Amino acid sequence: MTISDTKLRSIHGKPYQGKSELTDIDGLSARVTPKGVITFQCRYRFNGKQHRIGIGRYPAISLRDARAKAVEMKILVEQGVDPRTLGGSSERKIITLDDCLKYWADTYVYTQLKPKTQALYDAMVIKNTSGKLPNLDIEAVTSREWIDLFTEFERENPKKAHRLFVQLKSAINWCIRRQLIDSCQIMKISPRDIGERADVGDRVLSYQELAKIWLAIERSRASTSNKLLHQMVMLWGCRLSELRLSTIQEFDLENGVWSIPSEHSKTNTIIRRPIFDGIRPLLDKALITYKDILFPGQDIREPISISAANRYVRRIRDGLDMDEWRAHDFRRSLATRLSEEGIAPHVVEKMLGHELGGIMAVYNKHDWIDDQRKAYDIYHDKLIWHIRKISD
């Protein structure tokens, strides 16, 4: 069934729950978002592969003009020319992978991150993917083409390919969130489909693995303080020492904020995290059970030692049929899973207790507490869903 102007007018700019793609003739289709944003696209086959190229948004481009453009592309294909190399519609300048990398680097990597982190992204993402997919509109690159690209990396080093994919996907998601581009097919590919899972040191735990660890902690015979400590570290994604050394004075229950003093912070600055709904019952239990020191060891006047905490993790780990992991991997797992959910990088950095780079480190002292709280709610809900699924 072809698209009509009447149909498009009834959808444009209004809440929409119908099909995400409406098909027309000559390969033309219209993608529709839940907010009623309509984007024309054209599908075609070139050199035996299916491709898709953006034409422009309705109503800036009319249905008649979109159909005319689709016919032009069809003629180009018949002449042996790939329309993507010509830039598609004159209404929209094509954005390539290199364009996205430069934008991400200029607006995030080189302005918000520390020099060492900048160097890591330079060596991994920018060095390895610059120059790939040249002259192609990134919105028109298919999932198949992305997978073919990373298959090349997998042949060289499967673990590196996996890490590179996660970082590149995060970079492209930054460009989507900042509205440099509307969409990209790489967002439909799961990290588990690329390369191999990392070893200890690069370990990112799945929700199912986190759920297994959570239940093992819950069922263990350890002290209440040790169990609460590790479950709360898993949920907050904080450094073990930040919570291990915490005292009752750090928790503002009225405003729902946990403030880690600079002397307990690796960055020597105050770190603020929200006391979100999912962690409140665990915190309340710790506050009721103990006095000033929330996570005491054998001596209730002193916090549990790092060696005792590490011994506990080893006992839990030895009892699970699972690849090697450690408590610090909870931080990497939280950051990775929330990045996959589209949480902004600067919010994730604040959740981890990292300092922002560049000029933001000097002038921007905002903690995005409300944004952190929303992100923690997402992470908690997903984890609890998997815990219940395993428990049933």
Side-chain angles (χ1 to χ4, degrees), residues 96 139 172 206 219 294 310:
T96 66
E139 293 191 20
I172 293 176
S206 67
R219 295 163 180 168
L294 290 188
N310 288 338

Side-chain angles (χ1 to χ4, degrees), residues 291-315:
K291 296 183 179 180
D292 186 52
I293 303 297
L294 290 188
F295 304 98
Q298 292 183 343
D299 185 345
I300 61 172
R301 296 169 297 179
E302 297 291 336
I304 186 172
S305 67
I306 188 65
S307 58
N310 288 338
R311 285 196 301 272
Y312 177 64
V313 167
R314 284 197 294 272
R315 289 201 303 272

Side-chain angles (χ1 to χ4, degrees), residues 120-140:
L120 288 174
Y121 279 133
D122 272 334
M124 175 59 74
V125 182
I126 297 173
K127 178 182 177 181
N128 287 286
T129 59
S130 292
K132 301 293 184 180
L133 306 174
N135 303 320
L136 296 183
D137 187 343
I138 194 169
E139 293 191 20

